[in-house]
């Protein structure tokens, strides 16, 4: 009997440390920020120089927050902000530090996937904090979503100087627990309808790259958001086809498409732009679809709380996305 009991405890332990067995139906939300709290800024991917950090620091201090730059701000290791071990160590220290209430990724690029399996989320699960960013940070959004913890898809320090005022204010509202609601003009390619569900997703290329790994998200019953930058159109088609074949669109409540920015074509044209490619696949389903939502690699990059219940209303003239107000 003792042998079987020990075996059960071991299996339960594995489930806890890998995230297996965590229900995505019940999400944990990190505490809302308040004046006096401290935000860490780290670079998990490409290198980022200290002189480029000032606009973000000024913004956070203007909100009454303290700022702690990580040790990955400044170093250069080829394209990256340090070796894999150094980047993982910097992020790990911020995850474990109880004085840090939010972690803001300085920029994207590529490299977060190289460190995600080196991280220990034990203390983070005990005292969650907001993880903020987009693009390559989709690795962390997806992995942490599978731990049952919400994250914040939002602008990053590299963009703050050029972002719209709506972008900056949406980040502040999200961090301080104010209600997020966006209304934008509709476009002819949209499919009308109303949907409610937790929002998940992020950068299409990253979602595609995570398929088959422990960090791949489940989309059933959720509102899926996608965006991308600097891809060939046939790559967009390939990634959308792979998500389709993996069942990502089979049971979603709605699809929200953000910026499909600076796409490329070949000398022989693909024949459709990015919106046309996404629409071709979405047309095989019946869920509401919204194109050109202001999120992604855009100056107007509104904050999205991934893992949080949202209501999407796609009408002929307008689109409204609203999140439940955070509980105090």
């Amino acid at each position: 009997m003792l042998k079987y009991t020990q075996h059960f405890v071991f299996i339960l332990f594995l489930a806890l440390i890998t995230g297996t067995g965590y229900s995505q139906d019940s999400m944990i939300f990190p505490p809302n920020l308040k004046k006096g709290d401290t935000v860490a800024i780290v670079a998990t991917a490409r290198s980022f120089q200290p002189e480029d950090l000032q606009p973000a620091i000024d913004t956070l201090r203007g909100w009454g927050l303290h700022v702690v730059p990580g040790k990955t701000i400044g170093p250069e290791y080829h394209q990256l902000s340090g070796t894999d071990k150094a980047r993982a160590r910097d992020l790990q220290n911020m995850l474990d530090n109880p004085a840090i209430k939010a972690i803001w990724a300085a920029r994207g690029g590529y490299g977060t996937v190289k460190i995600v399996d080196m991280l220990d989320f034990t203390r983070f699960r005990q005292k969650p904090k907001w993880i903020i960013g987009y693009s390559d940070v989709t690795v962390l959004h997806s992995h942490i979503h599978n731990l049952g913890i919400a994250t914040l898809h939002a602008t990053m320090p590299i963009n703050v100087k050029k972002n719209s005022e709506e972008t900056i204010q949406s980040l502040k509202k999200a961090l301080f627990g104010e209600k997020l609601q966006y209304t934008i003009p509709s476009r002819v390619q949209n499919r009308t309808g109303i949907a409610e569900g937790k929002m998940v997703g992020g950068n299409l290329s990253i979602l595609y790259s995570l398929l088959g790994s422990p960090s791949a998200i489940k989309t059933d019953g959720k509102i899926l958001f996608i965006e991308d930058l600097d891809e060939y159109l046939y790559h967009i088609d390939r990634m959308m086809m792979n998500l389709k074949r993996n069942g990502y669109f089979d049971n979603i409540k709605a699809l929200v498409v953000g910026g499909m920015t600076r796409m490329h074509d070949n000398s022989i044209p693909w024949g459709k732009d990015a919106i046309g490619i996404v629409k071709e696949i979405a047309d095989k389903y019946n869920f509401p679809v919204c194109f050109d939502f202001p999120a992604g690699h855009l100056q107007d990059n509104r904050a999205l709380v991934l893992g949080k219940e949202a209501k999407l209303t796609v009408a002929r003239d307008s689109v409204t996305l609203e999140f439940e107000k955070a509980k105090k």
Side-chain angles (χ1 to χ4, degrees):
M1 182 65 182
L2 178 61
K3 176 181 179 182
Y4 290 108
T5 301
Q6 290 174 332
H7 180 71
F8 173 78
V9 170
F10 178 69
I11 294 298
L12 180 61
F13 173 74
L14 286 179
L16 289 173
I17 65 172
T18 62
T20 305
Y22 264 72
S23 172
Q24 294 182 19
D25 293 331
S26 179
M27 299 296 295
I28 296 171
F29 294 89
N32 303 329
L33 295 193
K34 59 184 185 301
K35 289 185 178 181
D37 282 344
T38 300
V39 177
I41 301 179
V42 300
T44 62
R46 284 187 182 165
S47 60
F48 189 87
Q49 296 309 306
E51 58 268 24
D52 297 323
L53 200 58
Q54 199 58 48
I57 292 176
D58 292 342
T59 297
L60 293 176
R61 287 178 176 170
W63 297 346
L65 301 171
H66 301 295
V67 185
V68 175
K71 293 183 179 180
T72 46
I73 304 299
E76 294 182 356
Y77 180 75
H78 306 298
Q79 294 185 12
L80 302 172
S81 59
T83 64
D84 294 346
K85 288 184 178 180
R87 298 195 324 279
R89 183 167 55 248
D90 194 29
L91 179 54
Q92 187 72 63
N93 288 339
M94 300 307 185
L95 289 171
D96 292 346
N97 187 341
I100 302 298
K101 304 303 180 182
I103 300 173
W104 199 5
R107 64 167 302 167
Y110 171 74
T112 308
V113 73
K114 294 171 69 64
I115 68 172
V116 67
D117 293 326
M118 302 167 67
L119 300 172
D120 181 349
F121 289 94
T122 302
R123 293 185 183 178
F124 175 78
R125 282 174 171 169
Q126 295 169 353
K127 292 188 176 181
K129 57 195 71 177
W130 287 108
I131 304 298
I132 314 160
Y134 73 106
S135 193
D136 193 59
V137 186
T138 300
V139 174
L140 294 177
H141 290 315
S142 299
H143 194 86
I144 292 171
H145 182 81
N146 289 343
L147 303 181
I149 299 171
T151 58
L152 186 54
H153 185 284
T155 190
M156 297 185 287
I158 193 172
N159 307 122
V160 165
K161 190 175 181 178
K162 297 180 179 180
N163 280 140
S164 68
E165 182 61 24
E166 291 83 359
T167 297
I168 302 303
Q169 288 305 310
S170 72
L171 173 60
K172 181 181 180 182
K173 287 181 178 180
L175 286 174
F176 285 85
E178 298 180 36
K179 183 175 181 178
L180 292 179
Q181 180 172 325
Y182 309 119
T183 299
I184 62 171
S186 192
R187 63 173 299 159
V188 67
Q189 290 90 345
N190 289 356
R191 181 188 296 132
T192 59
I194 300 175
E196 296 185 34
K198 293 180 176 65
M199 179 155 275
V200 295
N203 182 263
L204 176 61
S205 297
I206 300 300
L207 295 174
Y208 165 79
S209 72
L210 296 176
L211 288 170
S213 78
S215 304
I217 55 171
K218 294 181 180 179
T219 59
D220 288 359
K222 298 171 184 176
I223 297 174
L224 177 61
F225 167 76
I226 59 172
E227 63 84 29
D228 219 322
L229 165 78
D230 197 28
E231 289 286 349
Y232 275 89
L233 292 172
Y234 82 92
H235 288 181
I236 297 295
D237 192 87
R238 177 168 59 195
M239 291 186 287
M240 288 295 296
M241 285 300 302
N242 204 344
L243 264 61
K244 176 181 180 296
R245 297 185 70 213
N246 276 274
Y248 264 44
F249 307 114
D250 289 350
N251 297 300
I252 62 173
K253 292 295 185 69
L255 178 64
V256 177
V257 184
M260 289 291 180
T261 312
R262 297 203 302 271
M263 295 295 160
H264 308 288
D265 208 347
N266 301 96
S267 56
I268 300 175
W270 179 251
K272 292 184 177 68
D273 62 10
I275 290 176
I277 293 168
V278 175
K279 186 176 185 300
E280 181 181 37
I281 289 180
D283 281 348
K284 297 176 172 61
Y285 304 89
N286 295 317
F287 47 72
V289 183
C290 164
F291 290 98
D292 281 351
F293 189 85
H297 291 80
L298 304 165
Q299 289 185 358
D300 193 8
N301 180 12
R302 313 287 178 91
L304 305 172
V305 187
L306 300 182
K308 191 168 192 172
E309 288 287 338
K311 181 178 180 180
L312 177 72
T313 303
V314 184
R316 289 185 178 181
D317 298 327
S318 65
V319 175
T320 299
L321 177 67
E322 54 185 320
F323 291 89
E324 290 182 348
K325 187 173 181 180
K327 296 179 180 179
K328 293 184 180 181

